[in-house]
């Protein structure tokens, strides 16, 4: 385990790198749209970025996809301002194809596994294998999954892979906009599926663990500069900081794996 001084040194070096990038430019307001997967790490790291650069980060939260009011594609369509987009990688690529992301600005930041949660104090089911997960799903009366990348996978691929898609129609439901962990914490679902990084910040739940390897689906979260950006240089500095070694420990603590530069493949 790294010592506190080593962690501090890495953070300081990362901040110096950001300062070098931004140079003597005036402080800017950087507008970010971000989906839930990176939120915990992002909220811990942004104050350090602001302190080092003098920039102010203004954040709008919402799902990477879908049609809810706060969904990032919906926000962009209605003309909300944005400099940096941080979201599920393939959804960002889709926006790039629609001319919403500056070409060549996309950076893969993290890999995020899907986990399973129960209400705090509830029995934790065996999820050590695909067959065990199947038994847990069949035994549960209510199941919740997100309306973003993890939920799309769970509802359209995983249930089919386990041969229980028809049974799940009656007791599994998609949760739009609200963190799945909150639904579980309130007792509205016995089992909840979402990226572990999105489950970790929720109070009132216990994370059973990640899906077993044979069922796991890793989501890549990426960042890019919006084509409507008024502060692209400051936006690039923020992305570079989030992708730097200084952010590594914070990202790991949030339940994700940092992706080294050029290391998504």
């Amino acid at each position: 385990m790294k010592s506190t001084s080593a962690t501090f040194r890495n953070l300081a070096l990362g901040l110096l790198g950001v300062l070098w990038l931004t140079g003597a430019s005036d402080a800017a307001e950087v507008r970010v749209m971000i989906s839930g997967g990176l939120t915990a790490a992002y909220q811990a790291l942004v104050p350090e970025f602001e302190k080092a650069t003098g920039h102010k980060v203004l954040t709008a939260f919402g799902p990477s996809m879908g049609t809810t009011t706060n969904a990032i594609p919906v926000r962009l369509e209605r003309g909300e301002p944005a400099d940096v987009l941080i979201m599920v990688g393939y959804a960002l690529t889709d926006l790039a194809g629609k001319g919403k992301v500056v070409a060549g600005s996309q950076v893969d930041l993290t890999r995020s596994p899907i986990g399973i949660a129960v209400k705090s104090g509830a029995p934790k089911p065996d999820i050590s294998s695909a067959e065990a997960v199947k038994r847990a799903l069949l035994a549960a009366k209510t199941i919740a999954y997100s309306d973003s990348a993890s939920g799309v996978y769970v509802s359209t691929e995983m249930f089919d892979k386990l041969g229980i898609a028809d049974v799940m129609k009656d007791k599994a439901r998609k949760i739009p906009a609200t963190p799945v962990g909150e639904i579980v914490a309130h007792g509205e679902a016995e089992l909840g599926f979402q990226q572990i990084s999105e489950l970790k910040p929720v109070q009132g739940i216990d994370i059973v663990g990640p899906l077993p390897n044979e069922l796991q689906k890793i989501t890549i979260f990426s960042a890019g500069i919006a084509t409507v950006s008024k502060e692209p240089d400051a936006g690039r500095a923020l992305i570079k900081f989030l992708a730097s070694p200084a952010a590594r420990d914070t990202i790991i603590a949030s339940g994700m794996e940092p992706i080294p530069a050029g290391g998504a493949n």
Side-chain angles (χ1 to χ4, degrees), residues 36-42 44-45 109-116 194-202 207 209-211 216-221 247-259:
L38 260 172
T39 298
Y42 169 86
L45 292 165
L109 298 175
T110 66
R111 295 183 179 92
S112 181
I114 298 171
I116 301 176
Q194 199 162 21
Q195 268 94 19
I196 289 177
S197 60
E198 296 188 62
L199 294 171
K200 271 197 166 189
V202 179
I207 298 174
L211 285 173
Q216 185 60 259
K217 176 80 169 181
I218 300 296
T219 297
I220 291 177
F221 284 92
R248 178 179 175 81
D249 288 351
T250 301
I251 287 171
I252 291 172
S254 74
M256 294 180 292
E257 177 191 351
I259 297 177

Side-chain angles (χ1 to χ4, degrees), residues 17 67 111 152 171 217 222 235 252 265:
T67 58
R111 295 183 179 92
V152 171
K171 58 181 178 179
K217 176 80 169 181
S222 306
I252 291 172
N265 295 327

Side-chain angles (χ1 to χ4, degrees), residues 165-256:
D166 288 341
V167 178
M168 292 299 104
K169 289 178 182 177
D170 295 329
K171 58 181 178 179
R173 65 186 179 109
K174 178 171 68 176
I175 308 300
T178 303
V180 168
E182 292 185 10
I183 301 300
V184 175
H186 295 155
E188 298 173 34
E190 290 181 27
L191 297 179
F193 290 78
Q194 199 162 21
Q195 268 94 19
I196 289 177
S197 60
E198 296 188 62
L199 294 171
K200 271 197 166 189
V202 179
Q203 300 295 315
I205 63 172
D206 292 329
I207 298 174
V208 182
L211 285 173
N213 289 339
E214 62 264 44
L215 292 179
Q216 185 60 259
K217 176 80 169 181
I218 300 296
T219 297
I220 291 177
F221 284 92
S222 306
I225 301 297
T227 51
V228 296
S229 174
K230 294 182 179 179
E231 299 289 351
D233 290 341
R236 288 187 179 92
L238 174 60
I239 292 173
K240 189 170 184 68
F241 175 60
L242 295 175
S244 74
R248 178 179 175 81
D249 288 351
T250 301
I251 287 171
I252 291 172
S254 74
M256 294 180 292

Side-chain angles (χ1 to χ4, degrees), residues 15 45-58 241:
L15 293 177
L45 292 165
V46 160
E48 300 294 344
F49 174 81
E50 291 179 323
K51 182 178 178 180
T53 63
H55 295 324
K56 178 66 176 176
V57 179
L58 305 176
F241 175 60

Side-chain angles (χ1 to χ4, degrees), residues 22-158:
T22 55
S25 61
D26 293 336
E29 287 190 342
V30 185
R31 296 182 179 272
V32 178
M33 292 185 184
I34 183 171
S35 61
L38 260 172
T39 298
Y42 169 86
Q43 289 179 324
L45 292 165
V46 160
E48 300 294 344
F49 174 81
E50 291 179 323
K51 182 178 178 180
T53 63
H55 295 324
K56 178 66 176 176
V57 179
L58 305 176
T59 308
F61 298 95
S64 296
M65 57 199 77
T67 58
T68 58
T69 300
N70 291 334
I72 291 174
V74 175
R75 287 182 181 276
L76 291 173
E77 282 299 323
R78 64 171 175 255
E80 289 191 25
D83 297 300
V84 177
L85 307 175
I86 303 174
M87 55 198 294
V88 171
Y90 67 78
L92 187 67
T93 298
D94 182 59
L95 287 179
K98 296 176 180 177
K100 303 291 187 182
V101 181
V102 173
S105 70
Q106 292 173 248
V107 175
D108 294 324
L109 298 175
T110 66
R111 295 183 179 92
S112 181
I114 298 171
I116 301 176
V118 296
K119 188 173 182 176
S120 290
K124 293 182 178 180
D126 176 13
I127 60 168
S128 59
S129 66
E131 190 59 33
V133 172
K134 179 178 179 178
R135 289 194 298 269
L137 285 166
L138 292 175
K141 294 180 180 178
T142 49
I143 298 153
Y145 57 88
S146 81
D147 65 344
S148 197
S150 61
V152 171
Y153 165 71
V154 166
S155 61
T156 65
E157 295 184 47
M158 192 185 81

